Amino acid sequence: MSTGRTRGAVAVGTITGAVLGLAGCGMADDGSAADRASHFYAAVAAGDGATACADLAVDARETLAEQEGEPCPEAVLAQDLPAPSGAGTARTYGSMAQVQYRDETVFLSRFPDGWRVIAAGCPPVDGDQPHRCSVEVG
């Protein structure tokens, strides 16, 4: 079992770099990415691991289940993800998005069926430091 952010937290510098490297390419669907991030956190807060997992990209679900040694619905709830405070600010960059809350950052990627979370449980960082996330694509 995970102990929250300490076990399995890996730097997400490549995700951050990919998203920030495309700055200026924002698209009109920032709200869709923010809605997906909000939906994910609402499911976690409600203890609905199946819905939270449905909001994750397939690779993130598989990585999380493998890392924790249990099905995604149980593994995602074991991550002790914080409930973000306030409304998130979304920025989209082509097929990538970042939703920034005051105390949390979520990264998403656009798939044919819509936005999916690829990294969550990412506390804020200063400058160009990589994010360390509880849930992410492996």
Side-chain angles (χ1 to χ4, degrees):
M1 279 275 183
S2 173
T3 57
R5 294 176 190 261
T6 56
R7 183 174 167 271
V10 177
V12 191
T14 55
I15 294 171
T16 304
V19 171
L20 296 179
L22 295 172
C25 301
M27 299 184 69
D29 58 356
D30 289 357
S32 297
D35 289 346
R36 177 66 68 184
S38 177
H39 189 263
F40 171 77
Y41 279 106
V44 169
D48 185 352
T51 297
C53 285
D55 287 335
L56 293 173
V58 171
D59 287 347
R61 278 185 289 226
E62 291 172 355
T63 297
L64 180 60
E66 183 178 311
Q67 171 185 318
E68 297 302 319
E70 58 188 0
C72 183
E74 288 81 21
V76 73
L77 296 178
Q79 297 305 302
D80 298 323
L81 295 170
S85 58
T89 301
R91 292 179 188 90
T92 57
Y93 311 97
S95 64
M96 303 291 288
Q98 175 181 351
V99 179
Q100 180 71 52
Y101 296 94
R102 183 171 2 139
D103 54 356
E104 178 79 348
T105 303
V106 182
F107 296 93
L108 302 98
S109 188
R110 187 180 8 223
F111 292 87
D113 62 343
W115 291 104
R116 294 287 177 240
V117 175
I118 59 172
C122 312
V125 296
D126 292 324
D128 291 336
Q129 297 298 312
H131 283 83
R132 298 185 66 76
C133 303
S134 296
V135 176
E136 68 179 314
V137 172

